[in-house]
Amino acid sequence: MRRVGDAMAHALAALPALVAAWLCLRGAESLHAADIGLPQSTLFGAAIGNDALALLRYAFLILLTALPLALTTSRRVRTVLLGLCWSALLCAHAALLHYHWSAGVPLGADLFAYSFAEIDTTVAGATAPGFLLAGALVLALIVLWTLLLLIERLGWPRAGRRGVLAALPASVLAFALLPGHFAPAVVRSDAERDFIVNKSAWFADRSAHWLAGAGVNATQAAQASGRAPWQGRDPRYPFLRPERTPDTLGPLFQPGAGTRPKLVFIIVEGLGRTFSGPGARLGSFTPFLDELAGRSLYFENFLAPQGRTFGVLTSVFGSLPFGENGLAALGERIPRHAALPSVLKAQGYATRFYSGSNVEFDNEAQALRAMGVDSIVGERDFGAPYERANEWGYGDRDLMRLVLERERGLGAGPSLTIVQTSGMHNPFTFPGLPAYRARVERRAAELGLGLGLGLAPVYREQRDIFASILYLDDALRMFFEQASSLPGYADTIFVITGDHRLPELPMQTRLERYHVPLIMYSPRLKAPRAIKSVSSQFDLAPSLLAYLANHHGVKTPAQVTWLGAGLDTEPSFRNLHALPLKQTKTELSDFVSGTAYLAQDRLYTIGDGMAVDRMQDDDGALLDKTRAQFASFLRANAQAATAPALTPDGIALAPYGGERTLRGAQLVAEVGAVAVNGVRVRPGTGRLTIEATLTNHAAATSRPVAPLLVISDERGAELGETVLPARVLGAGESASIALQPAAPLAAGVYYVSVIPSHPESGRAAGAGQYHVRIRLD
């Protein structure tokens, strides 16, 4: 025991060497973060504070790495052994930094949800560490060994066994009692939060939480009240309920001539609203999709329920719960269920799937077969003249060419075709990359980004990502230019959405990870429509089946397990849905109920553009209600992970009819009666003036609201606020408002938000209009 105590005392005395080496890596983090636009003057102190917190909480484990030192009494041998252990720790920390810089989010317990083969594919497809990180790691190792040798030679600082006896319990108490990280008020986005946390502590905390198992609060689950898609009457099948999805699409399409429409889904890897579509915060780098959206049903506030690809197929085509690590992870043990492909296949539809990647990754092929897809084409089906893009498979343009080639040879009969891209994925390489890099700068100039000063850091540092977005857009342009010659084109409905928003680009909010576009195009459409009401991928299969049942004689299951209640096609902003959001395979901590958004146990309100603000909840009643509704889902979801079936065998198919409603659950909160619309710049004035219309949609007089103007720069950093005196609106009353920024603005690109706010707290008190892009010359 004396030798163990001496060994740990040796490690405690040498701890400054590890701290100094760790600071070298934090310095590299800061340089990288500054280069992508994160403000170091306000964040660096918080980052150092989180590193110190991580050191305090995990010092006991660091000291325990010294146990092998007790095998020898030689101080020099102990120093070498300690140096080897801590060198491995620094290399692991550098690997976590590389993951964060490449993936855009810190690595958590999702590592444990993948097979070794999938990890090998991911690592092989990743970019190599850059010079900054490699240089910082070399410097950190040099600093570590230099200081260790100096400490060993000089014998300073000294630490005894008493110091170890004090340090160990203090660290264990800190681990048990202190939070894993802290985020001061200066941290305003998820990207900033992800920078300041210590990546090793983050990984260790998330892994320990996952390995221990996150239990469901049964008391809260039992208190959840109101009808919800996961509160079925049969305890064996908690998701089972009567089918009541309304046909919200039928009024928007021309009547068919007795021909059942073909369905073509294009699931785009990483496609997010941040860089695609009107009002995109980073500017839209999808000019073709923007043009197509103008001829389509375009859902501006659409959510992908998963933060990675693992759940997209089961969400879109089955409206299914997640289980523990995504339902597809169960492989052959996926519980019995109904899905869009299987229902249509039973009624004469052909079902096909195309991908340029390995269809066994994430058990996609097994999930597709379980949902009723017959023909599955993957990377093994490609050959000359197609060119492999990277470890993940073939480029999106080659994928579209193969789809067109195969579909031309098929008949015009009813079919469901699914195309899944993979090009917008690390390492973002594809044929013709250099030419598309040059196009990034041209596109940025067209959007007015950079202002003659060259590309802003996010576009310069992530040029290959933006190049892959332009490449994907061109691939889709080519596909649609030739799709008009495919059999049955006039009777085809095309559905385009993203599997999730790619995380490599900085995110302002956690919700941004799930915010993707939905484009529904068809020659059958009566007219295009921009839709601001919130829907999710859970709503796609139920809505399409309701449309086909109501207008084309397709029968649907009389009882269903859909998590979705149907697409809401209301043009104005609202949310009638409740849904869970799963960030990674191992993290399910987000939940939306109406305009209430629970994110890692913090309650927010969401508005148009998926803008997020802390919810006014003085007594905590709304937080408790949201927690209870989420807990009831978690309980049902846990059962789905182990059940052999989500539905009893032999459920009959039935025609469209009966009570139908989009309201699948009692919502925690809904859009306030007062809303802002028509935000615009008043022309012909010397000073910037923002005009908008404030409307009370309720049948009663509104509470006092204060119109609030928030102005941000092109990176999303807030520049200032202007608030008008509070006012009251009568029932149905509208009023024009005009707001001016407190200080003049230089030429450039800005984003303005106008919000009806609470006169005292300043928080949203209705539906605002967010992130309207303006340019001042």
Side-chain angles (χ1 to χ4, degrees), residues 57-58 108-110 112 175 180 200-217 324-325 510 582 584-590 600-601 630 634:
R57 293 180 65 244
Y58 282 98
D110 39 318
F112 301 103
F175 180 83
S200 292
W202 179 275
F203 174 74
D205 288 340
R206 294 299 184 275
S207 299
H209 179 72
W210 183 81
L211 292 171
V216 176
N217 188 321
E324 184 179 7
N325 297 322
R510 186 175 175 85
K582 190 171 175 64
T584 66
K585 278 190 173 185
T586 57
E587 183 181 353
L588 176 53
S589 57
D590 292 10
Q600 296 183 316
D601 210 39
F630 186 29
L634 292 175

Side-chain angles (χ1 to χ4, degrees), residues 657-735:
E659 178 191 357
R660 301 276 168 158
T661 178
L662 282 176
R663 291 185 175 271
Q666 288 187 356
L667 304 176
V668 172
E670 296 193 52
V671 173
V674 179
V676 170
N677 55 56
V679 173
R680 59 201 176 275
V681 176
R682 176 185 289 175
T685 57
R687 184 178 174 187
L688 174 64
T689 302
I690 302 297
E691 296 182 325
T693 302
L694 195 64
T695 303
N696 177 20
H697 295 282
T701 301
S702 74
R703 293 180 177 181
V705 293
L708 173 66
L709 169 68
V710 181
I711 299 183
S712 305
D713 64 16
E714 62 179 317
R715 297 179 182 176
E718 185 177 317
L719 300 177
E721 298 181 352
T722 299
V723 63
L724 295 180
R727 64 190 302 166
V728 174
L729 295 175
E733 181 184 356
S734 294

Side-chain angles (χ1 to χ4, degrees), residues 110-475:
D110 39 318
L111 175 70
F112 301 103
Y114 291 91
S115 67
F116 286 114
E118 290 170 337
I119 293 172
D120 181 64
T121 299
T122 303
V123 172
T127 55
F131 174 78
L132 175 62
L133 183 56
L137 177 59
V138 171
L139 177 61
L141 292 173
I142 291 173
V143 167
L144 173 70
W145 283 96
T146 300
L147 292 180
L148 283 176
L149 293 174
L150 284 175
I151 290 170
E152 187 271 327
R153 180 170 297 179
L154 299 177
W156 184 92
R158 293 185 178 276
R161 291 192 290 272
R162 290 183 179 179
V164 173
L165 291 176
L168 278 177
S171 177
V172 171
L173 282 174
F175 180 83
L177 300 177
L178 295 181
H181 68 278
F182 69 92
V186 295
V187 177
R188 296 178 297 181
S189 69
D190 280 4
E192 293 181 356
R193 190 281 314 273
D194 291 345
F195 160 67
I196 67 169
V197 299
N198 181 277
K199 307 308 177 294
S200 292
W202 179 275
F203 174 74
D205 288 340
R206 294 299 184 275
S207 299
H209 179 72
W210 183 81
L211 292 171
V216 176
N217 188 321
T219 301
Q220 287 184 337
Q223 293 173 347
S225 60
R227 183 180 61 190
W230 47 86
Q231 291 175 316
R233 295 178 180 178
D234 190 332
R236 297 172 301 170
Y237 308 109
F239 294 95
L240 189 66
R241 57 182 171 84
E243 169 63 301
R244 53 175 177 263
T245 307
D247 174 24
T248 56
L249 295 174
L252 307 179
F253 284 83
Q254 298 285 355
T259 302
R260 290 181 175 179
K262 303 179 72 168
L263 302 178
V264 175
F265 282 81
I266 301 178
I267 310 295
V268 180
E269 169 70 38
L271 182 64
R273 279 286 284 117
T274 313
F275 47 82
S276 177
R281 181 172 60 82
L282 296 176
S284 181
F285 281 74
T286 57
F288 169 72
L289 280 183
D290 296 351
E291 183 272 326
L292 183 66
R295 299 184 275 127
S296 307
L297 303 180
Y298 185 71
F299 294 75
E300 297 185 20
N301 295 306
F302 193 69
L303 292 172
Q306 59 285 319
R308 292 193 182 277
T309 309
F310 67 89
V312 66
L313 297 180
T314 52
S315 295
V316 170
F317 302 105
S319 194
L320 292 168
F322 300 112
E324 184 179 7
N325 297 322
L327 217 59
L330 295 174
E332 296 179 352
R333 296 182 293 109
I334 294 178
R336 183 177 63 247
H337 61 275
L340 177 65
S342 61
V343 172
L344 293 182
K345 176 183 173 181
Q347 298 175 77
Y349 270 71
T351 54
R352 301 183 282 270
F353 175 82
Y354 298 92
S355 171
S357 298
N358 177 10
V359 294
E360 301 302 330
F361 193 91
D362 274 338
N363 282 339
E364 283 198 338
Q366 284 185 320
L368 288 164
R369 294 187 189 100
M371 289 190 291
V373 177
D374 284 334
S375 173
I376 299 176
V377 174
E379 63 178 357
R380 295 179 180 177
D381 299 289
F382 285 72
Y386 302 111
E387 179 181 349
R388 192 176 184 89
N390 50 50
E391 187 66 26
W392 287 102
Y394 291 82
D396 295 338
R397 188 177 181 87
D398 281 346
L399 171 63
M400 297 301 166
R401 287 171 55 201
L402 182 138
V403 172
L404 288 166
E405 177 184 311
R406 295 209 173 196
E407 290 291 305
R408 285 192 188 100
L410 302 173
S415 63
L416 167 64
T417 300
I418 306 166
V419 183
Q420 184 178 32
T421 75
S422 59
M424 284 165 50
H425 193 292
N426 190 11
F428 304 102
T429 56
F430 51 87
L433 174 58
Y436 279 91
R437 284 176 178 154
R439 284 185 53 185
V440 171
E441 193 153 357
R442 295 199 298 272
R443 180 61 181 171
E446 292 173 5
L447 296 171
L449 306 172
L451 307 174
L453 302 177
L455 285 177
V458 66
Y459 306 103
R460 184 177 65 252
E461 291 299 313
Q462 308 288 3
R463 190 190 298 258
D464 285 2
I465 295 179
F466 287 99
S468 73
I469 298 169
L470 290 170
Y471 170 74
L472 173 276
D473 192 64
D474 276 357

